[in-house]
Amino acid sequence: PSGASIEIGDSYLGITPLKLEDFPQGEYTIKITLPDYHEETRTFRLFPGSTKNIDVSLDIIKANLTIITVPYGASIYIEGKEYTAPYTIELNPNAQSYLVKVSKYGYEEHIETVESLKPGDVKILNIYNIDYIRLNANYYNAHRNLFRSLCY
C-alpha cells in the first residue's frame, strides 16, 4: 500500500511508492512498515545497470474476539455465521460493529453488539447471563393424570 516506510538496515529511504536510482550493486534486505499492518522484509540482489521492481502486499493486523459462554457450548452467530462457544475469531478491524447472537436449546437468546475493534485489539466477551427457560409442573398432578390416561 502507498504510504508505507522503506528501510535498508538502519537507513530510512522514504515512503511508497518509491523509485531509487543509481543504487550500488549488491545484496540488500529492505523492510516495509505501515501502522496497523504486518511488517514485511524482502532480500534482493542488484547488478550493474539493472532495474529491480519490488511489489509487496502488506496484511492488515486483525482484531481478535473471544466469546465464552455459560452454559458451555452455546451456538454463536456473528453477522449470521455460526460458531460454537468458546470460540476466538479474527475480525477485520475498523468495521462499524458486529452483531453477536448466542443461543442454546432450552435457554434464552442473548444478542449483543460489539463496537468497532482496532487492529491488534483483543476483546473477550463473557456471556454468563443466558437464563434457563423453566417449565414448572406439579409432579403429583402430572403423574396422577398420566396414570388415569393409561388405566382408562
Side-chain angles (χ1 to χ4, degrees):
S2 60
S5 295
I6 306 290
E7 297 175 17
I8 292 182
D10 293 332
S11 300
Y12 173 77
L13 298 178
I15 59 170
T16 59
L18 180 66
K19 182 178 182 180
L20 299 173
E21 295 180 355
D22 299 325
F23 223 73
Q25 76 176 34
E27 184 172 288
Y28 297 94
T29 298
I30 61 169
K31 179 169 70 171
I32 304 102
T33 58
L34 185 64
D36 300 335
Y37 288 82
H38 290 284
E39 176 182 297
E40 285 286 332
T41 58
R42 294 287 193 274
T43 300
F44 60 94
R45 181 174 273 303
L46 285 179
F47 298 99
S50 68
T51 300
K52 185 74 174 174
N53 291 321
I54 301 171
D55 293 317
V56 177
S57 294
L58 299 178
D59 295 324
I60 194 162
I61 297 171
K62 301 279 187 170
N64 287 317
L65 174 64
T66 299
I67 301 173
I68 301 167
T69 64
V70 174
Y72 180 83
S75 294
I76 302 166
Y77 300 88
I78 301 173
E79 298 300 319
K81 188 170 179 185
E82 184 176 7
Y83 307 90
T84 302
Y87 193 80
T88 299
I89 183 171
E90 283 189 333
L91 299 172
N92 287 321
N94 302 323
Q96 293 292 328
S97 62
Y98 290 93
L99 183 66
V100 177
K101 180 174 85 168
V102 179
S103 64
K104 185 173 177 99
Y105 180 77
Y107 292 82
E108 290 184 15
E109 187 174 84
H110 176 89
I111 298 175
E112 187 168 331
T113 300
V114 175
E115 296 304 320
S116 175
L117 298 173
K118 293 180 177 41
D121 277 359
V122 175
K123 181 173 180 71
I124 298 175
L125 190 59
N126 291 302
I127 301 174
Y128 294 104
N129 58 345
I130 301 177
D131 293 326
Y132 184 70
I133 299 172
R134 291 169 182 80
L135 176 61
N136 293 321
N138 182 316
Y139 174 77
Y140 174 75
N141 287 335
H143 184 267
R144 188 182 70 194
N145 290 339
L146 176 62
F147 182 73
R148 271 193 203 158
S149 296
L150 293 173
C151 293
Y152 297 104

